[in-house]
Amino acid sequence: IGLAGESNKGKSCLALNFLVNNMTKFPESIYFTSEFNDVKFRERIKSFDWADIYDGNGNPKFRLAKHEENFQDVIIPTALNIIDWVDMPDEPWKIGQIFKKASQKLTTGICFICLQKRSYKPFAVGGEAAMDYASAFFSIVYDKSIPSNVLKVEKVKEPNLYNPMYRKFSFGIEKGGAKIFAIQEVNS
């Protein structure tokens, strides 16, 4: 799964919500970060007071891992792997290969990868190739006409009941980037 978004528009919020809502569905859940240090992450996760994120011993039900390169080498095939975010400023064209290698390595797990998107460009850093191997791909932009952040479904490889491609949803973020609210479909 890929998520491209402009800076400070909700990528980490959506990635953390995906983690919190799915972490117990896998034998292991890992949140790879290049942005958060331990202190900053603990402060952010405190805002998820609506979720049961700790086990009986007071430990998180997921693992936080600091990692910035060669993600395909650390992905666990059966786990929920969230990578927030991939940054390859010198070789952005290689981002598509991260998706390819991740999809080849996964068995029953999921890899959710966040990418930066420039407001003045139609695609994420890494270009269209970033979408080639993703089963699903989404983008977040700020729409001044609403005004709101908008999540757009860019790709769903195998839609079952209906095809959600190109649907758009506005949303707000509250509780220090922990809670998504006021989700509404936006007509294009």
Side-chain angles (χ1 to χ4, degrees):
I1 299 172
L3 175 64
E6 297 172 9
S7 181
N8 205 33
K9 298 295 181 264
K11 290 183 303 296
S12 294
C13 176
L14 289 171
L16 287 167
N17 272 270
F18 194 84
L19 170 71
V20 168
N21 284 298
N22 293 286
M23 65 189 169
T24 59
K25 298 175 183 173
F26 296 87
E28 186 173 5
S29 296
I30 307 119
Y31 191 87
F32 297 100
T33 181
S34 56
E35 179 180 10
F36 294 117
N37 61 37
D38 287 345
V39 173
K40 188 177 175 184
F41 188 79
R42 275 196 295 272
E43 285 302 311
R44 180 79 176 260
I45 208 72
K46 280 182 189 176
S47 299
F48 284 81
D49 56 2
W50 51 267
D52 182 21
I53 60 172
Y54 299 101
D55 65 18
N57 297 321
N59 299 314
K61 295 178 182 176
F62 59 89
R63 182 166 50 99
L64 177 66
K66 186 82 173 157
H67 203 75
E68 296 185 14
E69 56 188 31
N70 299 323
F71 290 103
Q72 65 277 5
D73 297 336
V74 295
I75 290 170
I76 297 174
T78 58
L80 171 57
N81 302 271
I82 296 182
I83 301 171
D84 185 14
W85 49 279
V86 173
D87 183 27
M88 299 178 73
D90 297 329
E91 301 175 309
W93 59 89
K94 290 186 176 180
I95 289 175
Q97 290 301 304
I98 292 173
F99 280 88
K100 179 180 181 179
K101 290 175 181 177
S103 68
Q104 290 170 340
K105 190 168 184 179
L106 293 172
T107 55
T108 57
I110 291 177
C111 189
F112 184 112
I113 301 173
C114 296
L115 301 172
Q116 288 290 359
K117 181 189 171 309
R118 307 290 178 245
S119 60
Y120 54 89
K121 292 195 173 186
F123 299 105
V125 173
E128 277 185 284
M131 290 193 290
D132 290 348
Y133 292 95
S135 296
F137 203 92
F138 305 87
S139 64
I140 302 173
V141 297
Y142 185 77
D143 187 333
K144 292 177 188 174
S145 68
I146 299 179
S148 180
N149 291 337
V150 174
L151 176 75
K152 180 181 178 186
V153 181
E154 301 282 358
K155 174 184 178 181
V156 176
K157 201 169 212 166
E158 296 177 21
N160 289 333
L161 301 177
Y162 74 101
N163 189 349
M165 297 268 290
Y166 310 116
R167 292 180 70 185
K168 297 179 184 179
F169 301 88
S170 66
F171 65 96
I173 299 171
E174 62 183 8
K175 291 190 65 77
K179 189 170 183 184
I180 302 165
F181 73 101
I183 301 168
Q184 296 180 331
E185 186 159 8
V186 176
N187 295 323
S188 308

